[in-house]
Amino acid sequence: YFTFSSVKQAALIYTAIPMSAIGGVFALLIRDMPFSISAGIGFIALFGVAVLNGIVLIGTFNQLEKDGMTDILERIKEGTKIRLRPVLMTATVASLGFLPMALSHGAGAEVQKPLATVVIGGLLSATFLTLFVLPVLYILFEKGFKGKPTVKATIILFFVVFSFQNANAQTPINLESAIDTALKNNLQVKNEKLNVEYQQKLKAAVVDIPQTNLTGEYGQINSIYKDTKFGISQSISFPTVYAKQKSLQNENYKNSVLNIAVKEAELKKQVSEIFYLLVYLQQKQKILLQNDSVYASFLEKANLRFAKGETNILEKTTAETQRGQIAIQLNQLKNDIEIFQLQFQLLLNTTTVFSPTAKNPKMIFSASLDTSAISKHPTLQVLQQQKEISLVKTQLEKSKLLPDLHIGYFNQSIQGTGADNLFYNTSTRFNSVQFGLGVPLFFGSQKAKINSSKTLELITENNYQIGLQAMKTEYQAAYKQYQTQLQAVKYFEDNALQNASTITKTANDQFANGDINYLEWTMLINNAVSIQSNYTDAIKDLNQSIIQLNYLTSK
């Protein structure tokens, strides 16, 4: 404004800021970087360069107008042509200067990269828009505004330009998106998926045939002549053994698939718990901030009354003490939020800092006490699969009592006179085939393995029954807890919250009229706040019981 003495031209140049912000935001998005303090500083530097280019361009338009170029279109064409090189040079030099920071990976890179990314991306969009959009806006401003702006218009323009919301480094996220992000990024789930891939590849290794034997002989095999003999032989287990090994590997593969569902169910539960704990802490923080505002007003009035001698120092001290206690609680809440925020970010396995947002801090659950759905829980399905694995193992051990098979082929020379009174030399070869069975005469060890496998069947069956009974008991306990908390929440919503509102209003009115003193007012206000806080606690407990029920019923 001091440069051009024109509000409309100052506002026109200021449009370079949102035009440059477009590129900065997209650059962060493309490089998957969250907004941070470093990025904010980058935006400040970016806005300075963008505004400088706008000043250069508008200043040239004004100079051409003073030189007698009245045609606005010709003025824009000529001015843009004259200032094209300075504008491009300004943006190019700044971009190239920040390029090493944008590509750095050494010490301090986490601070340098967001700053440089914002500047480079913003200058690309700002330069393009400055050369094309700004001249168009210049035409509209010159033709659309007549006369001097009023003081009222100037004030409105000031607030429009400078009314920016504070940048928030946290990205809001709802529960469904948080669970989807966790299922996609969590390393434990990824490991279980890799284990499935591992078990899948092991299927090709179930038919493990022993090495093939190759033999050769040379010497006096049948006579004084030197003969040669070559042979190849192979031993294999009975085909039933390979069939059972394949069945066992298939069952192991199914077990690994079920383990993915177990990890996903546990992850959903953990994400839900942390999500609603953060929502709970946000609600607590909101209540404390409202209470702090009340006592801030009370302290201000107490100071005035004390200064005028209308009250003693006890009222002022009471207000200061209450605010101090609230400050301690707020600080503790802040630390708790940061701790749970770190746990939440760990579960989602992402560098983006997400802030849980829920339309309703209270979860909705509608179900009756029905334990039949528990049998479909992934954990019980894994225990059931363990039973199947133990059964197949027993069958595999039994199949190993079957004889091994042996087959061989031999080729040799027999020099000399044969049984047919003919003489044979080394060029004549004789063939033979050998068959054999490996009979397990000493099967005591294998019998012991079979018996131990049968014991394992009993163990897996007991484990399944234990797991089933434990989950049914846990479900019944969670349902009882849900009913208890639901009644508590209903009481607060139907009666207690209304009473708290009445207590607050009545206490404020009576204190203002002098019907009660500050000590009575403090007790009543604290009582009303305690009701609101207890309601938040009841919602937290209700949500945790619903999360547990959803986990047990695989929802």
Side-chain angles (χ1 to χ4, degrees):
Y1 177 74
F2 289 148
T3 301
F4 297 105
S5 299
S6 170
V7 172
K8 64 179 181 181
Q9 288 195 353
L12 176 62
I13 293 171
Y14 213 84
T15 58
I17 288 181
M19 288 191 292
S20 61
I22 294 173
V25 171
F26 270 100
L28 288 176
L29 182 64
I30 291 172
R31 299 196 69 182
D32 195 23
M33 291 182 177
F35 182 84
S36 62
I37 298 299
S38 299
I41 295 173
F43 275 110
I44 294 174
L46 169 65
F47 296 159
V49 177
V51 167
L52 178 61
N53 282 338
I55 291 176
V56 169
L57 204 58
I58 299 300
T60 302
F61 294 163
N62 292 342
Q63 184 62 43
L64 291 174
E65 185 179 13
K66 289 180 181 180
D67 293 342
M69 189 175 291
T70 57
D71 188 339
I72 189 171
L73 292 178
E74 290 297 323
R75 194 159 69 234
I76 287 175
K77 291 179 182 178
E78 184 64 20
T80 305
K81 179 181 178 181
I82 294 173
R83 291 303 178 187
L84 175 62
R85 182 176 296 174
V87 170
L88 291 179
M89 285 297 295
T90 302
T92 303
V93 169
S95 299
L96 292 177
F98 280 98
L99 189 60
M101 294 172 62
L103 302 177
S104 65
H105 292 88
E110 64 276 10
V111 176
Q112 299 174 12
K113 291 169 71 173
L115 189 153
T117 298
V118 166
V119 173
I120 294 173
L123 286 177
L124 291 176
S125 65
T127 303
F128 177 83
L129 295 174
T130 298
L131 293 172
F132 290 92
V133 177
L134 193 63
V136 175
L137 293 176
Y138 179 82
I139 296 175
L140 296 176
F141 272 57
E142 289 297 312
K143 292 184 176 180
F145 292 93
K146 302 297 181 181
K148 296 183 178 180
T150 63
V151 175
K152 182 178 180 181
T154 305
I155 295 174
I156 293 175
L157 180 61
F158 176 86
F159 281 104
V160 169
V161 172
F162 287 95
S163 295
F164 290 100
Q165 294 182 348
N166 292 329
N168 190 351
Q170 293 186 349
T171 303
I173 191 172
N174 57 31
L175 179 59
E176 291 75 14
S177 298
I179 290 176
D180 290 341
T181 302
L183 293 177
K184 178 182 177 182
N185 297 337
N186 189 266
L187 293 179
Q188 290 184 338
V189 174
K190 287 184 177 180
N191 274 347
E192 291 299 331
K193 291 180 178 179
L194 287 174
N195 187 47
V196 170
E197 184 179 347
Y198 167 75
Q199 294 294 338
Q200 176 68 28
K201 291 178 178 179
L202 278 179
K203 287 184 177 182
V206 294
V207 181
D208 187 11
I209 298 176
Q211 292 179 343
T212 301
N213 292 322
L214 298 174
T215 59
E217 295 182 29
Y218 174 76
Q220 298 172 346
I221 299 175
N222 294 296
S223 64
I224 62 172
Y225 298 105
K226 304 293 185 180
D227 289 308
T228 57
K229 181 179 181 180
F230 303 100
I232 180 172
S233 61
Q234 178 68 57
S235 296
I236 60 172
S237 299
F238 203 81
T240 306
V241 175
Y242 297 119
K244 296 303 179 183
Q245 287 178 344
K246 184 176 181 180
S247 298
L248 178 60
Q249 184 55 37
N250 286 334
E251 297 302 326
N252 286 330
Y253 171 76
K254 293 178 184 178
N255 187 71
S256 62
V257 173
L258 291 173
N259 277 328
I260 294 179
V262 172
K263 288 297 181 183
E264 288 180 343
E266 293 174 350
L267 184 60
K268 288 178 182 178
K269 178 185 175 183
Q270 292 171 350
V271 171
S272 300
E273 288 176 343
I274 299 297
F275 182 93
Y276 276 102
L277 278 175
L278 283 169
V279 172
Y280 159 74
L281 292 176
Q282 292 169 1
Q283 294 297 315
K284 279 279 192 179
Q285 191 177 50
K286 182 179 179 181
I287 293 173
L288 284 176
L289 288 173
Q290 291 175 347
N291 198 25
D292 181 69
S293 177
V294 171
Y295 278 104
S297 177
F298 174 52
L299 178 60
E300 182 180 357
K301 294 176 182 177
N303 286 330
L304 290 175
R305 284 195 293 268
F306 179 74
K308 294 179 180 179
E310 297 178 359
T311 184
N312 56 34
I313 197 171
L314 188 59
E315 179 180 356
K316 175 185 174 184
T317 305
T318 301
E320 290 177 346
T321 303
Q322 290 290 335
R323 286 206 72 192
Q325 292 177 350
I326 293 173
I328 293 173
Q329 296 177 44
L330 283 171
N331 185 58
Q332 182 62 46
L333 270 178
K334 178 177 176 292
N335 292 334
D336 291 342
I337 289 174
E338 290 177 354
I339 291 171
F340 283 114
Q341 191 74 54
L342 290 174
Q343 296 180 13
F344 190 64
Q345 194 169 349
L346 177 63
L347 289 174
L348 270 58
N349 190 32
T350 175
T351 57
T352 304
V353 181
F354 288 110
S355 176
T357 55
K359 293 181 179 179
N360 187 354
K362 181 178 67 174
M363 296 182 70
I364 306 299
F365 180 80
S366 57
S368 58
L369 184 59
D370 182 12
T371 58
S372 61
I374 293 178
S375 60
K376 299 179 181 179
H377 194 275
T379 301
L380 290 179
Q381 290 182 340
V382 168
L383 292 175
Q384 180 69 36
Q385 185 60 26
Q386 291 295 328
K387 290 168 53 180
E388 296 296 327
I389 291 175
S390 65
L391 287 173
V392 177
K393 279 184 177 179
T394 301
Q395 295 172 2
L396 174 60
E397 295 299 335
K398 288 181 178 180
S399 68
K400 290 181 180 179
L401 289 174
L402 296 171
D404 291 341
L405 303 179
H406 178 82
I407 186 172
Y409 168 77
F410 301 94
N411 182 284
Q412 72 178 79
S413 64
I414 303 178
Q415 297 183 63
T417 303
D420 53 1
N421 293 321
L422 296 177
F423 182 82
Y424 296 96
N425 55 26
T426 56
S427 62
T428 304
R429 310 296 297 182
F430 296 88
N431 303 312
S432 65
V433 179
Q434 184 183 69
F435 299 95
L437 293 176
V439 181
L441 296 179
F442 306 98
F443 49 78
S445 175
Q446 192 60 34
K447 281 288 187 180
K449 291 181 181 179
I450 294 172
N451 292 332
S452 64
S453 184
K454 289 181 178 179
T455 303
L456 184 61
E457 290 181 30
L458 297 176
I459 293 174
T460 55
E461 174 63 30
N462 289 339
N463 285 339
Y464 175 78
Q465 295 299 329
I466 291 171
L468 180 60
Q469 293 174 8
M471 281 203 165
K472 285 183 177 180
T473 302
E474 195 174 351
Y475 180 82
Q476 292 172 347
Y479 191 78
K480 291 289 185 183
Q481 179 72 11
Y482 162 72
Q483 288 183 315
T484 302
Q485 296 303 326
L486 186 63
Q487 292 176 356
V489 170
K490 189 174 186 303
Y491 161 72
F492 279 106
E493 292 177 345
D494 293 344
N495 299 299
L497 290 179
Q498 296 179 3
N499 293 339
S501 178
T502 302
I503 290 172
T504 301
K505 184 177 183 304
T506 304
N508 289 333
D509 292 341
Q510 290 185 353
F511 183 66
N513 297 331
D515 296 333
I516 59 176
N517 58 33
Y518 66 90
L519 292 176
E520 294 172 321
W521 177 84
T522 301
M523 292 178 60
L524 291 171
I525 292 299
N526 286 344
N527 186 27
V529 172
S530 177
I531 292 173
Q532 295 175 339
S533 181
N534 291 338
Y535 171 64
T536 306
D537 292 339
I539 288 181
K540 182 200 74 171
D541 294 336
L542 175 65
N543 288 342
Q544 295 302 314
S545 63
I546 292 176
I547 291 171
Q548 182 67 9
L549 288 172
N550 286 338
Y551 168 72
L552 294 172
T553 54
S554 303
K555 291 185 178 179

